[in-house]
Amino acid sequence: MLRQEFVFLPRDVVSLDIDQSEKEFPVNRIFCVGRNYAEHSKEMGDDPERDPPFFFCKDSSSIVKSPFDGVSEVSYPSGTNQYEYEVELVVALSKGGKNLSEASASDAIFGYAVGLDMTRRDLQTQAKEKGRPWEVGKSFDQSAPMSPIKTVQQIGRINKGNIELKVDGVTKQKSDLSCLTWSVVEVISRLSNLFELHPGDLIMTGTPENVGSVEVGEMMSASIESVGGFQVKIIK
């Protein structure tokens, strides 16, 4: 085999911690599900009916590793005056494939994490109004704080449980995973009809209603029953 030489060093592998393990979970791609709770669809001006889920992506470099019961820091991003939180269940895959059945989709799940889909809402809204892609509003530096992964061996395969976000101790978002419009296995199965999935892929499964803005100095606390929680402070 010929030795590969690069004009500069490739970036390091992005990874997430695995709870109670010395091993790391190498991240491949981050897929995100848009409007997967009916009440959030309503507040964003969409029909809450069970339309097929739609997807967008974040770059893996947007991850901010956030320890359970610890505090990480995220800088308020440039170019926006409307920086908003969205708390979400993150599903980590250890198997891939195309056109997966729901049973195969369930078998592909390695574990779960708590995530924040941080959004430059004003930029996303401007892009939507012009029919342009959302990346500028969704896939930017530090836009995906995430907790360590709890494995299915630790907590089983979850389909219910409280999901909550607080800002400076005040509850802003609160729902239950059972309120997902499309379940985790349905999302994985449908996504595999559009992309060949691979080990290391993450899926952010959508956020409940009552998304809102945060400012410099405020502290967000994100938690999901059975998975855990973490805190993020917004800095300049």
Side-chain angles (χ1 to χ4, degrees), residues 78-104:
S78 61
T80 184
N81 294 307
Q82 193 177 0
Y83 183 45
E84 296 196 352
Y85 50 76
E86 298 187 9
V87 63
E88 309 200 6
L89 174 70
V90 181
V91 180
L93 303 184
S94 57
K95 297 181 182 179
K98 295 180 179 179
N99 303 316
L100 298 177
S101 66
E102 291 184 15
S104 295

Side-chain angles (χ1 to χ4, degrees), residues 22-233:
E22 294 182 358
K23 295 182 178 180
E24 294 277 311
F25 182 90
V27 176
N28 187 30
R29 296 167 294 183
I30 305 174
F31 295 101
C32 305
V33 187
R35 299 180 190 176
N36 201 22
Y37 288 79
E39 293 304 314
H40 177 54
S41 293
K42 290 179 185 178
E43 75 177 350
M44 299 305 290
D46 272 4
D47 188 333
E49 294 300 321
R50 204 167 185 261
D51 290 335
F54 68 93
F55 304 96
F56 59 94
C57 294
K58 287 180 180 277
D59 189 79
S60 61
S61 64
S62 65
I63 287 177
V64 178
K65 294 171 71 169
S66 303
F68 285 133
D69 300 319
V71 178
S72 58
E73 293 182 336
V74 169
S75 298
Y76 195 98
S78 61
T80 184
N81 294 307
Q82 193 177 0
Y83 183 45
E84 296 196 352
Y85 50 76
E86 298 187 9
V87 63
E88 309 200 6
L89 174 70
V90 181
V91 180
L93 303 184
S94 57
K95 297 181 182 179
K98 295 180 179 179
N99 303 316
L100 298 177
S101 66
E102 291 184 15
S104 295
S106 179
D107 188 52
I109 299 171
F110 175 79
Y112 307 90
V114 185
L116 290 173
D117 173 15
M118 299 305 295
T119 302
R120 295 191 284 202
R121 189 74 68 196
D122 46 358
L123 301 189
Q124 182 198 27
T125 299
Q126 292 167 18
K128 285 162 49 180
E129 289 174 347
K130 294 180 180 294
R132 294 174 178 171
W134 291 8
E135 279 84 356
V136 68
K138 286 288 190 178
S139 185
F140 54 92
D141 294 343
Q142 299 187 318
S143 65
M146 291 187 189
S147 75
I149 294 170
K150 286 278 186 74
T151 67
V152 294
Q153 286 76 22
Q154 290 175 287
I155 60 175
R157 287 176 170 79
I158 59 176
N159 53 29
K160 63 180 180 180
N162 182 67
I163 177 171
E164 186 171 7
L165 182 128
K166 297 180 180 180
V167 177
D168 287 346
V170 178
T171 297
K172 299 294 186 178
Q173 290 186 280
K174 187 171 185 178
S175 187
D176 195 279
L177 299 178
S178 62
C179 294
L180 283 166
T181 303
W182 293 91
S183 71
V184 168
V185 293
E186 288 174 326
V187 165
I188 297 171
S189 178
R190 284 181 170 268
L191 186 59
S192 74
N193 292 328
L194 299 171
F195 301 89
E196 180 176 3
L197 300 179
H198 296 281
D201 287 341
L202 299 177
I203 302 172
M204 303 188 75
T205 57
T207 193
E209 65 274 17
N210 296 324
V211 299
S213 297
V214 284
E215 303 295 338
V216 172
E218 292 185 322
M219 181 84 75
M220 298 180 292
S221 302
S223 64
I224 296 177
E225 185 178 344
S226 298
V227 182
F230 65 90
Q231 294 182 302
V232 174
K233 185 173 184 179

